[in-house]
Amino acid sequence: MSNPSEHPRRSAVVTGAGGGLGRDIALGLTAKGYIVFGTAMSSEEVQDLKHASGGRVSLAVCDMTKEQAVKAWADGVSDALGDTGLDLLINNAGILTPGPIEVLPLEAIRREFDVNVFGALSVMNAFLPALRKARGRIVQVSTWTASIPLPFNGPSGASKAAMEVFSAVYRAELKSFGIDIVVAPAGNMRTGGPAKTATALTHIADAMTPEQRELYGQSFATFADKLNGMQGAGLESVLAAKRVIELAEEVPAPSIAPVGDDAAEMLRAARQMSDAEQDALRLRIVGLN
């Protein structure tokens, strides 16, 4: 009879696991028997998920924009995993900074890239030694707006598009180590996200100067209504998480695969439509045609 310790449990790391999609992914993986580590924004989130998972998810509060903090956290997780290494890294953490590019402070756009791009890169690099040991897989959660960018949603689409390019490069650079990279562009989801988005939209609108409000107030309000409506009608977070986990386990690994019907439709539009058709589509989606 084989010794159970010879068959170690599969391991996963999920960033941004304290709430929304990341939380559902972490719980979905533990239900499948994975040992799960991840990052959260607050000690309340850490405790909440510890409780919800019966102690099977180990989260740490980690600021993704601090490279040394990321490295220290990743080193601790990698040490805990030992020689078996890491089977799965789900890069899910991200922030959203909606608003007209002219109105958004450059600092806010830079912050989004700090989290969505440089934070994600530092996590991937920090876990590569552990992923090499297990010939593991990275799933980069993206968004369809990386393929069909929307007005007033520039930083999100641009930062995720940057990560899609980095993912394609990593896929080539890491192929010889047996590490797969899957890009998973998500559609609209019903998570804690919509409430956060609504707050962010209100915050940007309230911060506009009278001149900016005259230029963008009405069109931005139309966009905000449309975006809130789309998120409210989106895929349930638990179903989106289930899809991400499917992609994490699919053999062979897909290079890019949508999460949700709307994401599939948009990726198709990006492949098949002319530039002029895409320009018309992006205005239509946000109600500005």
Side-chain angles (χ1 to χ4, degrees):
M1 209 170 109
S2 67
N3 180 342
S5 65
E6 287 169 15
H7 299 282
R9 288 170 62 190
R10 285 172 62 76
S11 57
V13 164
V14 184
T15 63
L21 178 64
R23 183 181 189 275
D24 287 330
I25 291 170
L27 289 172
L29 288 167
T30 54
K32 298 196 78 167
Y34 282 78
I35 173 167
V36 180
F37 298 87
T39 61
M41 302 276 281
S42 67
S43 51
E44 290 76 35
E45 288 182 341
V46 173
Q47 286 310 315
D48 164 65
L49 203 50
K50 189 176 181 180
H51 180 71
S53 67
R56 287 181 302 171
V57 177
S58 311
L59 295 190
V61 177
C62 182
D63 182 344
M64 311 278 296
T65 64
K66 305 275 189 285
E67 195 182 354
Q68 287 317 112
V70 168
K71 194 158 172 14
W73 164 65
D75 286 349
V77 172
S78 301
D79 288 347
L81 293 170
D83 291 340
T84 55
L86 176 64
D87 294 300
L88 188 55
L89 168 60
I90 297 187
N91 238 346
N92 161 73
I95 59 171
L96 183 69
T97 314
I101 298 171
E102 185 182 0
V103 170
L104 286 172
L106 205 51
E107 205 38 62
I109 298 174
R110 192 175 279 123
R111 163 89 187 149
E112 177 138 353
F113 272 75
D114 253 351
V115 174
N116 293 5
V117 181
F118 302 115
L121 291 177
S122 70
V123 169
M124 285 159 104
N125 287 339
F127 278 108
L128 281 178
L131 285 160
R132 265 191 282 269
K133 284 181 190 170
R135 297 176 77 83
R137 180 177 296 191
I138 298 170
V139 178
Q140 174 61 48
V141 176
S142 187
T143 169
W144 61 260
T145 61
S147 302
I148 302 274
L150 291 184
F152 305 133
N153 198 33
S156 174
S159 60
K160 291 297 191 177
M163 273 319 295
E164 291 194 3
V165 171
F166 279 123
S167 298
V169 174
Y170 269 127
R171 191 180 300 118
E173 290 178 351
L174 303 177
K175 193 174 173 58
S176 62
F177 309 123
I179 297 173
D180 291 316
I181 314 265
V182 180
V183 173
N188 292 297
M189 276 177 290
R190 285 194 301 248
T191 63
K196 283 187 204 156
T197 306
T199 308
L201 292 168
T202 309
H203 178 70
I204 293 290
D206 290 348
M208 285 188 197
T209 65
E211 292 79 17
Q212 290 171 337
R213 196 165 290 123
E214 196 162 317
L215 290 168
Y216 294 112
Q218 208 168 348
S219 54
F220 185 63
T222 304
F223 160 79
D225 282 348
K226 284 280 187 186
L227 187 64
N228 284 328
M230 284 193 293
Q231 289 203 324
L235 190 61
E236 273 181 58
S237 177
V238 174
L239 295 176
K242 193 169 172 232
R243 170 70 172 150
V244 171
I245 294 168
E246 275 170 16
L247 297 175
E249 296 185 328
E250 199 173 297
V251 179
S255 297
I256 184 160
V259 177
D261 292 343
D262 55 344
E265 198 181 318
M266 288 301 160
L267 293 189
R268 214 166 26 248
R271 284 194 306 271
Q272 295 171 356
M273 285 184 167
S274 70
D275 292 340
E277 286 170 329
Q278 288 185 36
D279 278 343
L281 174 66
R282 82 181 97 248
L283 287 173
R284 194 164 68 245
I285 290 170
V286 298
L288 299 182
N289 51 323

